[in-house]
Amino acid sequence: MPCDTDPIMPRLILLHEPFAGRQFTFGDGVVIGRGTYCDIRIEDSTVSRRHAEIARDGGGWRLTDLGSANGTTCDGLVLTAPVVLDDGTTIVFGEVAARFEAAREESAASAPHAHAGEAIPLELLIRASALSARRDAPERLLEEALDILEEGSRGAQARIALFVSRPGAHTLSLRASRPGGIAVGESLRALGEIALRHVDGFAGDRDALASAGVSSPAACACALPLRIGGETVGALAAEADGAGALGMAHVAILHVVASACASLLDAERSQLPERRVAERDLQLARRVQQHFLPQDALRIDGYRVAERYLPARVVGGDHYDFFRYADGRVGAIIADVSGKAVSAALVMARFGMGVRLLAGHAVHPVELLVSLNTLLLDELEPGMFVTAQALALDADTGAIEIANAGHPAPILRTAQGRVGELVVDPGAPLGADARTNFRAQRLTLDGGSVLLFYTDGLTDAEDIAGQALGLERVLATMAPATDATSLLDALQRTLDTHVGDTLPADDLTLVALSRDPAR
């Protein structure tokens, strides 16, 4: 049983299909929403990008709606001001229901699946603890950390995997495994993803693993998130086929090695250019950038809209937004700035502000691109530019007008299943030349058709051998898709299969628009 002295560990359990049963534990507070950088991410169109926040309030927790479009209810009452949460409170974010629980964190001695196991030599714990203080290359030390964990788990014949994550990623990337050369199965990968939802990690036997959603689970397993300075950088997972093979001693060394791996991954990432900026400043820049992206899903009667935004680094150089033109037509824009990391993110933040200032005064996409080009000519450093594509939709007729500024052509999947790039005037990137002329192309989106806008992070995504995904595979993936949501789901699966555990080199943005079939 839990001890009275154990700390309180809050938990949010989702009740709404297809998320039912998914649990999140957290510490001092979390932001819940659909956005890439939310602590608890719920990919449902009724949930705003930054929907609500749960934060510590004295000895309890306080729920605050963050100006969401579809509102937040607490035990059936619409939230108009912050409220203190009770254990067992039902919360609904948009249309997604969840239960808040303030459970006590169980001590190690009373964990429900704890086993005596075998003792871990003290020398191994000392070696693991000292890793992050050494000056060797982080990559070498990470391998040594896994060697120590493998040695300590040899009696259990455990399979071990170290995964790394990046902001906004849908999947973890395998960094290393033990024993060397083993094929990391779906159960280990699922364990790593479960660990990301629990600040205190996850451990259990076959029944507990099955309940958590692990298919074909091992007899016992444990996994921990790798956290440093409030950021999750990966996960460490171990599983074994013998019942009770992973005892408390193994969990103890897993904690020590996980702490070392988090520090080493952070040290490795500190060598990246954007980490020369203070981490706190980057976190702030990341949140500011999110405010220039649509906070809520776009809804148009008779149409479906789906979008994905996955920055390759802490902050990104892609952008998309929805708006209304001066003549009332629905507008959308997608853009990609040259360069990466902080410099690209700063340009894109200025671009996003320009879109919101200018779009409502423009009467068509060409006029909007001309205005944005004029804005950027005076602000971009030499050699920098922005590719962009602007769209105007007459929802009553399905008539679409597209203007292009050096961006990859959109792809159309017709109701008959034909897939191909639209023929659009390529145009020149924004901010490159004051004499640039833009031309509009027009088409009608028929019922059952799907239109995809994307940045080149899709077609240029590389696998471990450096082979790009390419346009042909994108076209093949689009062929069976019948609406915007199924299209992006299919593209995500194709992308994940292709890149495997390779970390992305470029940002990725996808915006899909489909028209419902005529009835």
Side-chain angles (χ1 to χ4, degrees), residues 208-223:
L209 292 168
S211 298
V214 179
S215 59
S216 302
C220 61
C222 52

Side-chain angles (χ1 to χ4, degrees), residues 223-282:
L224 292 170
L226 306 182
R227 297 180 61 84
I228 189 82
E231 180 185 2
T232 300
V233 296
L236 189 61
E239 65 178 8
D241 293 327
L246 294 175
M248 290 310 302
H250 298 102
V251 174
I253 194 171
L254 191 75
H255 273 274
V256 175
V257 172
S259 178
C261 286
S263 297
L264 293 169
L265 286 172
D266 185 64
E268 186 176 61
R269 292 184 178 191
S270 69
Q271 300 170 9
L272 297 174
E274 70 264 28
R275 290 296 289 271
R276 295 172 188 165
V277 182
E279 180 66 29
R280 184 177 298 176
D281 290 343
L282 273 179

Side-chain angles (χ1 to χ4, degrees), residues 107-129:
S107 62
S110 59
H113 299 290
H115 301 277
E118 60 186 74
I120 301 297
L122 181 60
E123 178 263 341
L124 288 181
L125 295 174
I126 294 173
R127 280 172 53 196
S129 300

